[in-house]
Structures are given as structure tokens and as C-alpha cells.
Amino acid sequence: MKFIQKIFDDLHPGFEKGGKYEKFYPLYEGVRTLVFAPSITTDSKGVQVRDAIDTKRMMMTVIIAMIPCLLFGMWNVGYQHYIATGVEATFLDMILLGALKVVPIIVVSYTVGLAIEFAICVIRQHPVNEGYLVTGMLIPLVLPASIPLWQVAIATAFAVIIGKEAFGGTGMNILNVALTARAFLYFAYPSQISGDVWTYFGDQAPVDGFSGATVLAYGASAAANGTDMMADMAGHWYDGMFSFWNMFIGTIPGSIGETSTLMCLIGAAILIATGIGSWKIIFSVFAGGYLMGLLFNLIGGNSFLEMPAHYHLVSGGLAFGAVFMASDPVTASQTELGKWIYGFMIGVLTVLIRVVNPAYPEGIMLAILFMNVFAPLIDYYIVEANKKRRLTRATI
Amino acid sequence: MSKTIKLKKGFDINLVGKPQEKIIESKQPETYAIKPTDFVGISRPKLLVKEGDSVKAGSPVLFDKFTEQVKYCAPVSGKVVEIKRGEKRKLLEVKILADKSVEYVKHKKYSTSDISKLSKEDAFEQMSAGGVWPNVIQRPYGIVADPESEPKAIFISAFDTHPLAPNTAFILQDQGAHFQAGLDILKKFTSGKIHLNIKGGDEVAQIFSQAKGVEINKFMGPHPSGNVGTQIHHLDPINKGDIAWTVSPYGVAQIGKLFTEGIYDASKIVALTGSQVTDPAYVKTYSGANAGNLLDGHLKSGPSRIISGNVLTGEAVGKEGFLGFYDQQFTVIPEGDYEELLGWILPSTNKLSFHKAFGLLGFLNPKKEYVVDTNTHGEERAFVMSGAFEKVMPMDIYPTFLFKAIMAEDYDEMEGLGIYELVEEDVALCEFIDVSKHPLQTILRSGLNLLKES
């Protein structure tokens, strides 16, 4: 420990004011504070002691909550590959293949994102913020394994520069950064992120009768063709693929980290137990989605509208979005009542977009981005109500 | 109608070094000081003494140019040995070398019946000349009360929930008569009520339970239930244009004694607390006592920080420093100027945290007392967490929005969001739990200053 401290101490003069690398001080500080929690003490006035938490630990807690989704996602990439190509494979094969596809995406996301963050810190001379630690992991998890790496790089750059830094950096952004990256890809390169992209093939051919469609794609086509969605799904080439249980566990095609509702719920449990994620938002997204599903069941009309409401909760990215995206404290509503409204509306809009607008089968991304924009408005009215209470109190 | 109010929000910071309820022997400090910086709202302190002058306990030492009548008086008799100034000749400390035995300036004595007949004007004259007026704090702003103002009510919190706080009843032992006299005097200044707020669920000390002419309210719950600001919010909140006064129980007794005994008695029972104190307990001394002298022989070795007051709202004064006018305790804790390898992620059961983030395992043992040093555990960052401040703020106020309004210097927004209800101590717990390590008490004060000057 002394030895590492000495390395930093030897480097220190170069980064100080007037030193050769003065401009890169934020970088030096960023690295040093990652290795050692800093030796800063409280001011002589104000609190003399501080809580042991800091933003690094807070962000790491979120990353830890994502690990179940990540590991399951890696395995599932391999699993989907081997069943789609009809090759027998062991558990290890599946994990290895998944890792081979997923790790490069993570590396690209972190490298590009952190490089931009560091560059901006050096330009603006402000300390390195930890927000990207979470974003860098979220971006890979909401992409298909088959995504070209250069697209990951471009999307990351777009999201960090336009989605975050243009607004003033961590804590100031209006839109969720990872979803900005995904939305960018969705509209700029739709052919790599919609349609039959969810299963990775490599150079192998799919088995006879293969279809890579997701539940939501089944729904959209059933609604368009007037067929029975549940019957279509039951006739899937791989027996039992879209049973409710299968979808809950997550052994279905989809973005890397989003398929398993179970893993998302484990993540939710971690976030809620540690107090980092708002249970109000997470719960109300599920509630909104379910109630909207029920409402559509009542209305009926086609088989997608009549899909059992609980299927909405386990299909697509609803669970992942609810747990890891909607609960992002920077872009969510910041008042407690607002969190209920915000989450509920995300759930409602997700199902509305899914079912009513066949052009965008994945509703959660757009629903969250939409509500990100509205979160400040929700807060505004709630805070105004607080001010009004104070005013009426004064006149009594 | 007296009320019982149960609060759920808040957090008790449980530290090692609680004072034992006994008075221990301690060397009496040689020097004492009056620090104009203790009194919020003094903008132009004017000196009435110069170096070398002899003073008695209760001799006026300085006053504020804008409220000339209110005198700030010497706590002990002796010789003015140093007048310490800081940048731009700002007056920091007036140091007095104490005599062996204290001589007092004599004021008029009153019997209980005389006190009841005393007019408000006469009472004010004796209070302001006698040095006890600065005990009266005016809200909004938390400043020394403006004698011209009339408060809608006066609030007294009879218990302290700050970390390692002294027991209020213990430090007021044998002061029952003075305390009641103080209440009788204060009653003259308001047509409203005097609220005396005690801790619910506990046995109430006689000095409070037998107080007359007051409304006794009970508060339950974790810190900040003992903060007078929290209590005002639930009893009779401060709206724009309202004025309320607050006085500490010690202050009430000191006011009373000026009338019953005719002296400005600045003697105090002070708690020596914190993990760096060998034998945490109480000592008898005077307001403005020198820290190094008083703590001599009671300190453990190792780099320590000496704080006048508690760890949430106190001030690091060092061995050369002095006890603040309003403070009833010294807290001594280890300094935290060290780097910790991977300290931001390693799990630990020895780190105190309100949050339960990964690796902060303190919640497994909620009764544990912690040794906490002065390390900030991280650097200042943008606000990234929501909903946390609200959990430690038992008031209908949105702290994050208020702080952002202050930073943006938006006057209407600050008023609308309730800044008048707050002083530093009311947001200290927010500052403690803040993930982003903002100096929230300083930010709040800058907002209050903006409004006060507008």
C-alpha cells in the first residue's frame, strides 16, 4: 500500500499547478481516488463527520445489482445460439460463446465512454464523475449480441456527448444516457437492432423452421394478420419457447441483459435493499404495465390486445427498464409522489406503444425517454403544491 | 393545548464517547474569549475595551453598530490580553486572562414578585446591558433577536438530540428558580405562547415539568426531533413575515439569574465528549473557555480534532481555540487525513452510514457505537441521489429543490420552498448523509444572507 502511494506521490508534482502535465490533473486525481479513497477531511465549519457513502460506492452498488442480468445474459447468448443452430453444447460452451460476444461490447462501451469523459474532464478541468461506471454497463445490456462493435462505439459517443455532456455532465442530463444510446441506434441503424437480430449465428446456419421473432413481434404480426397470437407462439419452432415460465426465467431471444425477469427482480431486490433504487418507481412501472394490459384485455379486438396482462411484465425490456433505467435518480422524478406518477405512466405508455403502435414493438425505451422529459414537469406541479400549502398556511 | 408529536424521519448518529453523568475535576482555563463570529447577524462589531484593560464578569466588551443597546459581555473578570483579528481586520477573538476568583458587575436584583411587575422596557434594558440578550435568537435567519421585533411565540427545546449531546437537565442542575425567572421575563416580550418542548417517553426532569406559564409539548423520534426548528415546524410554523424567538434552556436560566442574583453568570457545565476523550463526562467552567486548557489531561494520543459543539453543527477550534457562546460541549474525534486502499468499495462493519449501500454493513448492528473520524469519504459531486434528504428531514420541505434554488439565487423560489423555517442545524443531517458531499449548511446560510440583505 505504501509502495503504491509512493508511486502516486512521485507522479504528483508533474500534475500540480505549474507541472508538466498540469492539464491532466483530473485524470491523475481520478485514478488515484479509485485506488485510494482520498484523504480529504471536513471543513472547520459545517459537519465535522461525513457518512461513509460516496458516489463511487453508490454507482458500484448499481453495477453489482446488474451482475445477475449480465451473467445470465452471457449464458443466454450462447444458449440461444446453440438451440438455433441445432448444435449440442455444454453449459460452459454457452457461457464461453456468450462471453466472447458480450465482453467486447462491454469493453468498447467503457473504452469509448470513459475516453470521452476523461477528455471532457481535462478540457473543462473538473473532476471525473462516476456516473459513467453505470452507463457503461447499461449500454451493452440493452443491445443485441449481434450488434456491430462500431455501432456500439458511435452510439456511446453520441449518448455521452449529446445526451449528457451537452447538458452539463453527470447529474444534469435530462434523458437516461444508456437509453439515448439505444434510441440513437434504433433510429440511425434500425436494421441491426430490430427484426431478426436477437440471436447470434456467427457463420452457422439456423435450424429448419427457425424464427428469431420475440413475443412482441409475434404480437404485432398477429394483430396485423388477424391470427391468434397465443396459438402462433405455441407453434414456435422450439417447443415451449414462449411459455410464461420460460419468459420469466429469460431463456428467450432478446437484448443481452433484458430477457430474464427473474434476474431483473434479483437486481431490484439489491437496489431496494440498499436503498439506492426507488421501490416506488420500480413497483409502479410494473403496476402501470399490468393495469394497462388488463384494460386492453377488457377492450379486446385482436389477439395482441387480448394477450394475458401478466405476459407484458415478462416480455421485452419492461422488467429491465423498470429496475435499471426508470429508477435512474437523475432523470426520474425527484419527489416521492412524482415517483409514483412517473413510474406508473412508464408502465402504461410501454404497453400502449407495444400494442397500439406496431412500428415500435419495444415500448419501454420510448416510454422511459418520454417520461424522462416529463419528470421535471411532474415535479414542478408537486413542488408548486408544496409552496401553495405554505402560502395558505400563512393566511389562516 | 400542549401537543405530543411523534416523528419518524431522521437519524441518530451513534458515536463512542458519550458523557457520563458526573462532574469531574478539570484544570480551569487561564484564558477565555468572546468571539463575535459566534453571533450570527453581527455585521459591525465595535470594541469597548482595548488590550491591557481590566474587566469584570459582565463588563461590556463589544456591541454591534446596528443594535447599540445590546452588549456582549466578558464571561469572567480579568485582563484583556489579546484582540485577535483576521483578514481585512475582521474581529475574531477578544481574549481575557482570568483572575483567580471571579468578580461580577452588579445589577439590580429582583424578587419573584418584583419580576412579575417589571415592565418589558425595564426587562430589556437589564438584559441588553447585562449581556444575556444574545441568548435570544430570532427566526427567520437565526440571528441575535432584534429588540424592536415582537415574536409570535417563543420556543425552547429542552432536550438535545445531536450526537453525544449533553443532558440538558443535568447541565441545569440547581437552576430551577433561575429557569422559571427567565421564563417569566421572556413572557413579557410576546403576546403569544412560550413553548417548552420536552422529550416524550422519558422521565421529565422537575425543572421542566414544573415550569409555569408555558405550554409543554412532547416530541418523540430520532434526531432532529430535539432541534427547535423541527419543533416550530410542527407547532406553529414560520411563514413569510412571521417572527419567532428561540432560546436555549441554559440561556433561559442565565437570563433568570441576571434578575434573581443581579449578575451575568457565564459559568457552564460543559460535556467533554468523543472517542478521543479518555473519560467523557462533565466539567464546570465558563463560557468561552480555552479548549487546550480545559481538555488538558483528558485527551488520548494521536491526531485529534477539537470541536466546540457537536459533530454536526460545531466548529473545529483546535487547542488554541475557545468554547463557542452557544455551545455546551467539546467533542474530540480522530482526524481522518489518510488515504484508504480501495476504501470506496471494501465492505466494513466499522463505517457509519445512514445508507445501506454495498459493503456498508453497519445496519446489521443498529445499536453499535462508532468511532468516526473527519474523513469526508469521497469528493464533492453533482447531486445524483433523490429521496434521501427527505428521509432525514421531518418537515414538509423539499431540500434538494431548496438547495438548487439557493444555488441559482432564485429569491421567490427560496421563499416559496420554506427557507425561512430553516437555519444551519436543520439541514446538518442532510449534509451528513449527502452522497455528493455538498456543504449544505454553508449553502443555506448564503441563501439566508441573500434574503436578509434584499
Side-chain angles (χ1 to χ4, degrees), chain B residues 56-96:
Chain B
K56 287 182 179 174
S59 297
V61 171
L62 56 93
F63 64 92
D64 182 22
K65 192 183 160 191
F66 298 104
T67 41
E68 281 187 34
Q69 318 94 301
V70 178
K71 302 292 191 291
Y72 298 81
C73 297
V76 291
S77 59
K79 207 166 103 177
V80 177
V81 282
E82 191 190 341
I83 291 170
K84 192 173 160 190
R85 292 180 183 273
E87 272 176 48
K88 295 184 184 167
R89 291 188 29 83
K90 185 181 176 184
L91 185 58
L92 297 179
E93 287 165 359
V94 180
K95 288 187 204 172
I96 297 163

Side-chain angles (χ1 to χ4, degrees), chain A residues 182-342:
Chain A
R182 195 182 195 278
F184 173 80
L185 287 178
Y186 196 83
F187 293 108
Y189 303 101
S191 56
Q192 275 83 23
I193 201 166
S194 48
D196 266 2
V197 299
W198 307 109
T199 312
Y200 163 72
F201 286 103
D203 47 12
Q204 279 162 306
V207 294
D208 285 343
F210 170 82
S211 145
T214 60
V215 182
L216 301 175
Y218 268 100
S221 80
N225 305 328
T227 55
D228 180 359
M229 173 186 178
M230 299 311 277
D232 292 352
M233 291 204 314
H236 191 271
W237 59 272
Y238 190 83
D239 201 26
M241 174 64 94
F242 289 125
S243 69
F244 180 80
W245 185 244
N246 233 24
M247 287 161 68
F248 177 74
I249 299 295
T251 54
I252 51 171
S255 294
I256 295 166
E258 70 170 23
T259 60
S260 175
T261 308
L262 176 64
M263 295 302 150
C264 292
L265 289 180
I266 294 174
I270 295 173
L271 288 182
I272 291 168
T274 55
I276 302 293
S278 163
W279 67 272
K280 290 171 190 165
I281 294 177
I282 296 172
F283 176 79
S284 57
V285 174
F286 280 107
Y290 186 69
L291 290 178
M292 192 65 185
L294 281 183
L295 184 68
F296 277 137
N297 289 170
L298 282 179
I299 297 169
N302 65 42
S303 63
F304 198 6
L305 287 165
E306 285 158 9
M307 181 175 86
H310 56 279
Y311 271 69
H312 275 296
L313 306 185
V314 295
S315 55
L318 188 136
F320 189 84
V323 176
F324 295 109
M325 302 286 198
S327 62
D328 167 12
V330 173
T331 54
S333 183
Q334 308 205 342
T335 53
E336 298 307 298
L337 175 63
K339 284 172 184 172
W340 287 111
I341 301 169
Y342 166 85

Side-chain angles (χ1 to χ4, degrees), chain B residues 5-24:
Chain B
I5 290 158
K6 288 180 189 156
L7 301 172
K8 287 209 180 96
K9 292 175 172 185
F11 184 59
D12 284 322
I13 296 178
N14 199 4
L15 301 182
V16 169
K18 294 188 177 65
Q20 275 198 312
E21 278 189 16
K22 61 174 184 187
I23 291 174
I24 53 170

Side-chain angles (χ1 to χ4, degrees), chain A residues 46-306:
Chain A
V47 290
Q48 307 289 319
V49 295
R50 287 273 192 180
D51 195 290
I53 198 174
D54 69 340
T55 45
K56 285 191 179 73
R57 196 181 284 269
M58 175 183 163
M59 300 295 174
M60 275 313 288
T61 307
V62 183
I63 293 184
I64 287 164
M66 279 191 277
I67 286 175
C69 282
L70 172 70
L71 295 179
F72 183 90
M74 281 193 195
W75 169 81
N76 191 43
V77 168
Y79 174 73
Q80 294 299 328
H81 171 84
Y82 286 115
I83 61 168
T85 54
V87 181
E88 285 283 318
T90 63
F91 176 79
L92 201 66
D93 289 333
M94 295 172 188
I95 282 273
L96 277 178
L97 181 85
L100 217 58
K101 287 309 293 175
V102 174
V103 171
I105 301 177
I106 297 175
V107 171
V108 169
S109 156
Y110 271 114
T111 313
V112 173
L114 287 178
I116 296 171
E117 284 263 321
F118 283 166
I120 288 170
C121 288
V122 169
I123 294 167
R124 289 200 187 150
Q125 288 294 304
H126 68 60
V128 181
N129 270 275
E130 288 82 10
Y132 193 76
L133 292 178
V134 171
T135 312
M137 182 63 82
L138 279 173
I139 292 177
L141 292 183
V142 295
L143 297 176
S146 59
I147 194 93
L149 292 179
W150 63 269
Q151 287 190 4
V152 179
I154 293 183
T156 303
F158 177 86
V160 173
I161 296 171
I162 307 293
K164 184 162 82 168
E165 295 301 337
F167 289 96
T170 301
M172 314 292 175
N173 48 304
I174 292 172
L175 298 178
N176 183 293
V177 183
L179 281 182
T180 308
R182 195 182 195 278
F184 173 80
L185 287 178
Y186 196 83
F187 293 108
Y189 303 101
S191 56
Q192 275 83 23
I193 201 166
S194 48
D196 266 2
V197 299
W198 307 109
T199 312
Y200 163 72
F201 286 103
D203 47 12
Q204 279 162 306
V207 294
D208 285 343
F210 170 82
S211 145
T214 60
V215 182
L216 301 175
Y218 268 100
S221 80
N225 305 328
T227 55
D228 180 359
M229 173 186 178
M230 299 311 277
D232 292 352
M233 291 204 314
H236 191 271
W237 59 272
Y238 190 83
D239 201 26
M241 174 64 94
F242 289 125
S243 69
F244 180 80
W245 185 244
N246 233 24
M247 287 161 68
F248 177 74
I249 299 295
T251 54
I252 51 171
S255 294
I256 295 166
E258 70 170 23
T259 60
S260 175
T261 308
L262 176 64
M263 295 302 150
C264 292
L265 289 180
I266 294 174
I270 295 173
L271 288 182
I272 291 168
T274 55
I276 302 293
S278 163
W279 67 272
K280 290 171 190 165
I281 294 177
I282 296 172
F283 176 79
S284 57
V285 174
F286 280 107
Y290 186 69
L291 290 178
M292 192 65 185
L294 281 183
L295 184 68
F296 277 137
N297 289 170
L298 282 179
I299 297 169
N302 65 42
S303 63
F304 198 6
L305 287 165
E306 285 158 9

Side-chain angles (χ1 to χ4, degrees), chain A residues 7-32 122 125:
Chain A
I7 297 178
F8 278 117
D9 287 342
D10 289 346
L11 285 170
H12 191 86
F15 291 100
E16 274 188 321
K17 260 212 152 47
K20 218 171 170 182
Y21 311 108
E22 174 192 346
K23 280 204 164 132
F24 297 97
Y25 182 79
L27 215 62
Y28 161 81
E29 195 215 10
V31 175
R32 181 160 188 162
V122 169
Q125 288 294 304

